[in-house]
Amino acid sequence: MFRNLICLSLFLAFQLLALVGGLAQTPGSSPVSREALIGKNFDSVAADSVPIPPQGIYEREAIVQKLRPVPYTYVREADVLWSKIIWRTVDLRQKMNFPLYFPTVEMRDRKSLVQALYDAIQDNDIHAYDPQFSLSSPGDEFISPLTQSGVRERMAGADKVLNQVSMTTGRDTSWVIPAEIHWAEFKRLLIKEEWFFDTRHSQLQVRIIGLCPVREYIRTVENGEDGVDGELVRSPAFWVYYPEARKVLAHVALFNPKNDAQVVSFDDLFFSRRFESFIIRESNEYNNRSISEYKKGGIPNMLESDRIHYDIMNKEHDLWEF
């Protein structure tokens, strides 16, 4: 009698488990395994239950599950013997900077640096600051925050409004066409960073303070009877505070041209200084004026940029005591 009750209980338990499993496989309730969908008509399966296949033979989760960015060494104010703030321009069209520039279209497995920053701003993960509409005054003091709509307008331009009056009813109808962001137009990147000599570690170090994508595009202007001419415009989009953006950039993988299996993040790239750039400004008593304001011509500007670079490198040797 007791044995029969145990067998009956086990039978009912197995039946209940089979019923729950059948309900879990109903379309629309949960994703179905890819093996179960082989040979079936997708019209009979809910679209949200079809799993997205991986990009390769395995799920790439090393960058996504990364806990935190590479930690910096602790810096105490009393240990900083000398420091200098400089500004750099990164030309994203240079070959070494291609991992920051590409892809210029929406892709599933990777995104460019500007796309990563824009998505983080729209998701409220980081904040954007007004660049004050000018390269001569970059607005990198992080004073005026930008709204999400303001960031999109600075990246894509204003939305177009089309008005049409019906010939029959006389009603005025308006359509709003959202402006499209062209990722290929962001060809430059401004970097604000601080170089300092840490007496605790007896080392010259550098920390990035802010990043600013620069949009470069051709704006058409009317030229009277001659028609329309093209005007080259370079417009800073927004500034982001880099210590805040590190928590996002550490989880975004960039393309490794040497090995697809060994991926690195944008934060790793900036931490290891794997980008090509040139100095355009240093902190000075003349309102932090840029090099182009007191040097004219491409070659004099580059020579002045190299002078600032070597002055910083020589400062480390000058601060040593033998």
Side-chain angles (χ1 to χ4, degrees), residues 34 50-61 63-64 102-112 115-116 119 183 251-255 263 266:
R34 299 198 61 83
V50 179
I52 301 177
Q55 288 293 103
I57 60 175
Y58 58 89
E59 294 288 347
R60 289 168 167 81
E61 300 176 349
I63 293 296
V64 178
F102 291 101
T104 57
V105 296
E106 296 285 351
M107 297 184 67
R108 173 188 161 190
D109 58 336
R110 65 178 188 267
K111 60 181 67 175
S112 66
Q115 294 177 28
D119 292 342
W183 304 109
H251 298 276
V252 181
L254 55 85
F255 180 72
V263 293
F266 284 113

Side-chain angles (χ1 to χ4, degrees), residues 225-239:
E225 298 179 356
D226 297 335
V228 178
D229 290 339
E231 178 185 5
L232 178 63
V233 179
R234 289 175 180 169
S235 175
F238 54 84
W239 276 96

Side-chain angles (χ1 to χ4, degrees), residues 182-208:
H182 300 281
W183 304 109
E185 294 180 346
F186 295 90
K187 303 174 183 178
R188 292 175 180 266
L189 180 70
L190 296 180
I191 295 180
K192 179 183 180 181
E193 60 188 16
E194 182 172 2
W195 289 81
F196 62 95
F197 187 84
D198 187 359
T199 57
R200 183 179 182 181
H201 300 90
S202 299
Q203 186 180 14
L204 181 68
Q205 300 185 30
V206 58
R207 303 284 173 84
I208 297 178

Side-chain angles (χ1 to χ4, degrees), residues 66-84:
K66 191 174 182 179
L67 296 179
R68 60 174 181 168
V70 180
Y72 286 137
T73 58
Y74 176 73
V75 178
R76 195 167 59 104
E77 182 179 3
D79 295 332
V80 178
L81 185 61
W82 171 89
S83 69
K84 169 73 72 172

Side-chain angles (χ1 to χ4, degrees), residues 256-280:
N256 185 356
K258 302 296 184 180
N259 188 355
D260 288 346
Q262 298 296 328
V263 293
V264 294
S265 66
F266 284 113
D267 181 68
D268 296 332
L269 182 142
F270 286 113
F271 186 86
S272 57
R273 309 285 297 181
R274 293 193 302 174
F275 59 89
E276 183 69 27
S277 64
F278 56 91
I279 299 174
I280 61 172

Side-chain angles (χ1 to χ4, degrees), residues 26 43 123:
T26 56
D43 295 337
D123 294 338

Side-chain angles (χ1 to χ4, degrees), residues 89 114 129-140 146 150-151 153-156 185-190 211-217 233-240 280-281:
T89 291
V114 181
Y129 297 88
D130 192 352
Q132 298 182 2
F133 308 99
S134 173
L135 282 175
S136 61
S137 180
D140 47 33
L146 279 175
V151 171
E153 183 176 353
R154 293 196 58 83
M155 297 183 67
E185 294 180 346
F186 295 90
K187 303 174 183 178
R188 292 175 180 266
L189 180 70
L190 296 180
L211 301 176
C212 177
V214 179
R215 182 187 177 198
E216 185 174 315
Y217 62 100
V233 179
R234 289 175 180 169
S235 175
F238 54 84
W239 276 96
V240 294
I280 61 172
R281 185 193 309 266

